């Protein structure tokens, strides 16, 4: 043990949270788990730990990834550290009645097995209070439809990292249209090769370039959705 | 212009930008991804395509595909005045169609296909393999030669070997699609598959559709004639 080793439990709340941001940045899973446990012992609400320590830390990681300061392995290490913290918090969040922002079904499209970005979006959406059902990779349209029926989410999210698989999003959206269920859901799409023009062309409601933007956009779209529903209810 | 390079000199590092002048007075230029440099220069030499110059962008752009379209545009603009025809040896490479926009705007030609794995294997054959089973990770000669730098270091597996399954956990096989027949490379590819925890399949595909593309470029160079 070196002299300058930081003892997490000796830090003040504010310093500990700041240290956790650094530890997330450095992808230190055990330290993050320890930090979460310390804050819980100090009586912090699970939701506050999630937002102030973990989500905020990952937001910083996201910015530096976007700006080319961090690369894929660093982000993956950070995400794994956050996952460790989330694992402790998830059951407690349900018990303590943390705010529910909405429900999302997400999956990488057929033919594509990239999932690092999708997993990050899943985690940050959970961090923002969304319930997320992750369908994993390589999903044919049937998987999405079955999940929509089973889970009745507000949002459908699709991810693609390959030029060859991104057009499959249109297959899913067109099938939803055929079945008359397209407008029952907010459809969000993402993945590095996508852009707004593509999202508009396939008929998605939103394209998001990263996890932070996804969270903001999802919150905004949920607000609008509720307003529309409320307006509809008043009109009826 | 730089001296004509011999094949031994074409093993570019991922960071390199390089130009390989032709033996004759070239009127056509191939702008290529650095990951294709060696193959393209070898192919030119083997076929005596004397009217073709080759210039490469750094292979590391692969991992930041959004930078590719403008990097290619810059290369095109810098060379347009000197050549009658310019050919771009790049797949879409994850630019989501933005590279093709540049290609169209600049009035040049690009090899067909989403990435080099597809044009080496052949578009149809590649689609057939991956439609059946997308859980395959492809290695070209270039990737086998530079496996440590591109995959092990590039994905941070030297520092954090525990990330291996986060990357490759959903894959079954490593498919080595070789350009040249070389036992040493094959052994290295097999070893690479093992290091990724994947099964190993070898398919010799040669230069695939890159060959036809190079022939078309060479013909354009010849037809344009010497200056
Ligand atoms: C890491 C990586 C891999 C890993 C994947 C590991 C894994 N478990 O996912 C490995 C090495 C295994 C791999 C394999 C392959 N890959 Co790859 N890969 C990449 C790389 C370098 C980074 C992708 C990544 O994880 N980024 C990090 C995350 C955090 O970012 P992100 O995915 O963009 O996600 C963010 C946003 O896009 C957004 N987002 C993502 N999804 C969603 C969803 C929704 C709903 C929303 C709202 C937002 C959103 O938020 C995320 C978080 O901020 C890219 C190049 C690049 N820089 O994009 C190539 C790249 C995508 N791969 C490519 C290729 C070709 C392949 C292979 C075919 C290569 C091969 N040799 O076989 C295979 C594909 C197999 C298959 N069928 O899927 C090409 C694609 C080219 C093309 N024409 O499409 C790229 C562009 C590299 C290149 N230039 O050659 N790859």
């Amino acid at each position: 043990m070196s002299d300058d080793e930081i003892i997490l439990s000796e830090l003040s709340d504010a310093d500990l949270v700041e240290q956790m941001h650094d530890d997330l940045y450095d992808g230190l899973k055990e330290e993050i788990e320890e930090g979460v446990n310390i804050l819980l012992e100090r009586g912090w609400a699970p939701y506050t730990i999630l937002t102030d320590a973990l989500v905020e830390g990952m937001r910083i990681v996201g910015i530096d990834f976007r700006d080319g300061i961090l690369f894929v392995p660093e982000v993956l290490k950070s995400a794994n550290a956050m996952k460790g913290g989330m694992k402790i918090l998830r059951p407690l969040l349900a018990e303590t009645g943390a705010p529910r922002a909405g429900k999302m079904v997400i999956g990488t499209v057929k033919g594509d097995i990239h999932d690092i970005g999708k997993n990050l979006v899943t985690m940050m959406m959970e961090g923002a209070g969304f319930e997320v059902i992750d369908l994993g990779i390589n999903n044919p349209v049937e998987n999405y439809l079955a999940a929509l029926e089973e889970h009745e989410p507000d949002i459908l999210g699709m991810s693609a990292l390959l030029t060859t698989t991104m057009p499959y999003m249109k297959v899913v959206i067109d099938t939803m249209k055929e079945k008359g269920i397209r407008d029952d859901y907010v459809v969000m799409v993402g993945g590095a090769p996508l852009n707004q023009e593509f999202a508009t062309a396939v008929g998605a409601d939103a394209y998001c370039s990263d996890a932070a933007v996804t969270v903001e956009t999802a919150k905004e779209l949920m607000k609008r959705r509720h307003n529309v529903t409320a307006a509809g209810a008043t009109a009826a | 212009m730089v001296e004509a390079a011999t094949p031994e000199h074409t093993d570019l590092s991922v960071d390199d930008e390089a130009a390989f002048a032709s033996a004759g007075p070239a009127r056509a230029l191939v702008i290529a991804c650095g990951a294709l440099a060696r193959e393209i220069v070898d192919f030119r030499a083997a076929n005596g395509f004397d009217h073709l110059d080759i210039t490469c962008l750094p292979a590391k752009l692969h991992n930041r595909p959004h930078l590719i379209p403008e990097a290619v545009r810059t290369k095109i603009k810098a060379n347009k005045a000197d050549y009658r025809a310019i050919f771009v040896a790049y797949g879409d490479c994850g630019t989501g169609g933005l590279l093709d926009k540049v290609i169209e705007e600049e009035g040049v030609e690009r090899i067909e296909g989403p990435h080099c794995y597809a044009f080496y294997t052949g578009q149809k054959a590649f689609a057939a393999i991956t439609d059946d089973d997308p859980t395959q990770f492809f290695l070209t000669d270039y990737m086998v030669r530079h496996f440590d730098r591109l995959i092990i270091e590039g994905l941070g597996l030297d520092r954090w070997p525990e990330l291996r399954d986060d990357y490759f956990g959903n894959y079954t096989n490593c498919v080595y699609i070789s350009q040249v027949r070389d036992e040493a490379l094959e052994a290295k590819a097999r070893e690479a598959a093992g290091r990724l925890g994947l099964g190993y399949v070898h398919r010799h595909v040669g230069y695939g559709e890159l060959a036809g593309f190079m022939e078309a470029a060479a013909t354009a160079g010849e037809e344009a004639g010497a200056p």
Side-chain angles (χ1 to χ4, degrees):
Chain A
M1 213 185 264
S2 65
D3 290 342
D4 56 359
E5 179 120 5
I6 295 162
I7 312 290
L8 293 181
S9 57
E10 289 174 2
L11 297 178
S12 70
D13 284 9
D15 285 350
L16 176 56
V17 167
E18 202 160 305
Q19 183 59 41
M20 286 173 75
H21 294 168
D22 287 352
D23 289 346
L24 256 183
Y25 197 93
D26 296 333
L28 304 176
K29 187 175 173 200
E30 281 168 21
E31 282 76 357
I32 287 299
E33 288 165 347
E34 190 187 340
V36 166
N37 283 324
I38 294 170
L39 288 174
L40 282 171
E41 278 160 26
R42 291 186 190 172
W44 277 49
Y47 187 70
T48 314
I49 303 175
L50 180 65
T51 45
D52 292 10
L54 301 187
V55 172
E56 176 55 19
M58 272 316 274
R59 195 185 63 80
I60 301 166
V61 170
I63 291 171
D64 279 6
F65 177 63
R66 182 197 65 201
D67 295 344
I69 297 164
L70 292 179
F71 295 98
V72 177
E74 284 84 5
V75 171
L76 200 48
K77 278 293 283 181
S78 298
N80 284 346
M82 174 153 175
K83 208 157 52 178
M86 293 275 285
K87 201 171 166 190
I88 303 171
L89 293 174
R90 200 175 286 117
L92 304 174
L93 286 167
E95 280 169 25
T96 49
R100 275 259 157 268
K103 202 183 209 183
M104 179 189 216
V105 159
I106 192 170
T108 302
V109 299
K110 186 176 162 200
D112 204 321
I113 53 179
H114 289 90
D115 63 0
I116 297 170
K118 169 193 63 74
N119 295 346
L120 208 59
V121 168
T122 299
M123 223 156 52
M124 292 300 271
M125 285 292 282
E126 280 190 1
F130 283 85
E131 181 187 347
V132 185
I133 295 106
D134 182 355
L135 305 180
I137 51 162
N138 191 23
N139 284 287
V141 59
E142 296 79 23
N143 290 11
Y144 290 109
L145 293 180
L148 292 179
E149 200 176 313
E150 183 186 344
H151 302 286
E152 300 180 343
D154 305 288
I155 303 172
L156 170 65
M158 289 186 277
S159 180
L161 265 289
L162 296 169
T163 327
T164 45
T165 56
M166 52 194 252
Y168 195 76
M169 293 178 172
K170 187 164 183 330
V171 174
V172 177
I173 294 175
D174 285 350
T175 311
M176 289 170 74
K177 282 183 188 157
E178 270 166 35
K179 299 208 172 287
I181 58 167
R182 166 64 186 87
D183 294 334
D184 299 345
Y185 308 95
V186 166
V187 178
M188 301 179 72
V189 296
L194 275 65
N195 53 48
Q196 183 58 52
E197 203 180 329
F198 171 82
T200 311
V202 298
D205 294 305
Y207 155 76
C208 302
S209 59
D210 65 33
V213 175
T214 304
V215 167
E216 289 318 308
T217 310
K219 281 184 182 162
E220 188 53 42
L221 288 170
M222 290 306 294
K223 232 187 271 166
R224 259 191 256 164
R225 187 172 156 89
H226 288 144
N227 291 343
V228 170
T229 321
T234 326
Chain B
M1 220 165 264
V2 297
E3 269 176 42
T6 54
E8 300 87 77
H9 297 140
T10 53
D11 231 1
L12 294 187
S13 121
V14 281
D15 307 329
D16 287 341
E17 209 169 321
F20 306 96
S22 58
R27 300 303 287 153
L29 174 71
V30 173
I31 298 174
C33 165
L36 306 172
R38 179 177 182 141
E39 284 66 31
I40 287 184
V41 173
D42 284 0
F43 192 81
R44 177 181 66 179
N47 290 278
F49 292 157
D50 292 340
H51 301 282
L52 211 52
D53 279 352
I54 297 164
T55 185
C56 293
L57 285 163
K60 69 173 176 190
L61 282 177
H62 264 113
N63 287 338
R64 324 217 44 203
H66 61 284
L67 300 177
I68 294 174
E70 286 314 308
V72 170
R73 193 198 296 281
T74 305
K75 270 275 188 238
I76 295 173
K77 283 200 185 300
N79 288 288
K80 224 172 191 174
D82 298 331
Y83 295 94
R84 292 266 171 80
I86 292 183
F87 293 79
V88 176
Y90 252 102
D92 166 86
C93 213
T95 66
L98 295 182
L99 177 57
D100 279 334
K101 226 177 200 168
V102 169
I103 298 292
E104 205 188 310
E105 283 162 10
E106 298 298 330
V108 299
E109 279 186 53
R110 173 173 87 74
I111 185 167
E112 205 185 305
H115 39 61
C116 54
Y117 315 103
F119 59 68
Y120 276 144
T121 312
Q123 310 295 336
K124 279 202 186 125
F126 187 84
I129 300 172
T130 49
D131 284 354
D132 245 18
D133 175 9
T135 68
Q136 317 197 54
F137 185 68
F138 293 86
L139 293 178
T140 60
D141 286 3
Y142 173 80
M143 288 169 77
V144 173
R145 284 197 181 97
H146 302 292
F147 183 77
D148 277 301
R149 211 181 45 239
L150 295 171
I151 305 294
I152 301 297
E153 290 163 34
L155 295 177
L157 295 172
D158 51 339
R159 287 166 291 162
W160 304 301
E162 72 275 13
L163 293 182
R164 186 184 81 174
D165 292 346
D166 286 311
Y167 289 115
F168 294 100
N170 289 320
Y171 289 77
T172 50
N173 284 327
C174 199
V175 184
Y176 173 34
I177 43 171
S178 56
Q179 279 61 68
V180 296
R181 289 197 185 275
D182 178 332
E183 277 179 20
L185 276 184
E186 229 220 291
K188 216 177 155 217
R190 188 183 292 276
E191 186 205 318
R195 287 168 76 187
L196 299 179
L198 303 176
Y200 174 71
V201 177
H202 178 207
R203 283 174 183 252
H204 182 71
V205 296
Y207 295 99
E209 292 167 4
L210 185 62
F213 174 80
M214 286 293 289
E215 277 153 19
T219 309
E222 270 167 24
E223 279 169 2

